[in-house]
Amino acid sequence: MTDTHNVLVLNGPNLNMLGVREPKVYGSETLESIETSCQRIANRLDISVLFKQSNIEGTLVSWIQEARETQDAIIINAGAFTHTSIAILDALQLVEVPVIELHLSNIFAREEFRHHSYISPCATGVICGFGAAGYELALEATKRLLDN
Ligand code: CA2
């Protein structure tokens, strides 16, 4: 028997608006339905998922700090903070667990200001462009990382 891994899935600003606007860019699923499928996949993979969203940079930083004690990996879609936040980068560098950077859209096929990520240098891997399915892919990649 192996211990169940704990994985924090963090979502940044405006992701609570998914499904409400811009379905062409971000798909039509709501964040709530994404969380439901994450929990279903987590059951199948035998991992425990803590799913959170905040529009506030400091709240995300605090949750990342708390994860040091409790989580085995972090999957993060930091939204627009991806492109602006040294504070989130610093927090992620402190946690010493694998970090998977996630985006619904392919940020490299969009405006130039989205091409740079402050998070990528500390990420084990980056998944982008697969819409809501990216959360599933990220959980599967995390499970493999933690099992190996
Ligand atoms: O593609 C992604 O997942 C992003 O992280 C989403 C961020 C964006 O700033 C990043 O460059 C890429 C934006 C999330 C905004 O979500 C919305 C949801 C519904 C309607 C409008 C925005």
Side-chain angles (χ1 to χ4, degrees):
M1 271 296 275
T2 51
D3 286 338
T4 299
H5 299 299
N6 295 316
V7 179
L8 175 63
V9 180
L10 259 193
N11 296 281
N14 295 310
L15 287 160
N16 56 316
M17 300 302 284
L18 283 178
V20 178
R21 287 187 47 220
E22 299 200 44
K24 285 203 177 111
V25 182
Y26 299 119
S28 52
E29 281 202 51
T30 62
L31 196 62
E32 200 179 7
S33 70
I34 291 174
E35 174 172 11
T36 302
S37 41
C38 281
Q39 297 297 356
R40 184 173 37 79
I41 290 148
N43 278 343
R44 171 165 63 76
L45 297 174
D46 192 26
I47 57 182
S48 171
V49 161
L50 180 60
F51 194 95
K52 288 173 170 264
Q53 187 275 335
S54 178
N55 294 324
I56 300 166
E57 186 177 21
T59 300
L60 293 164
V61 167
S62 296
W63 285 342
I64 293 166
Q65 289 178 1
E66 284 166 27
R68 291 185 72 205
E69 309 293 324
T70 55
Q71 303 298 316
D72 300 305
I74 299 175
I75 297 169
I76 181 163
N77 183 349
F81 290 148
T82 305
H83 318 297
T84 62
S85 180
I86 298 168
I88 289 177
L89 169 65
D90 286 346
L92 289 171
Q93 281 174 335
L94 284 168
V95 284
E96 293 170 346
V97 297
V99 171
I100 289 83
E101 178 181 350
L102 173 64
H103 301 285
L104 294 153
S105 62
N106 178 356
I107 55 175
F108 302 103
R110 301 185 63 195
E111 304 96 321
E112 190 141 355
F113 64 83
R114 295 186 203 273
H115 297 183
H116 176 261
S117 163
Y118 278 101
I119 292 169
S120 297
C122 76
T124 303
V126 181
I127 294 172
C128 76
F130 295 97
Y135 284 79
E136 183 174 341
L137 298 172
L139 285 169
E140 285 179 351
T142 303
K143 168 75 175 167
R144 285 188 193 201
L145 267 177
L146 294 174
D147 281 351
N148 286 330

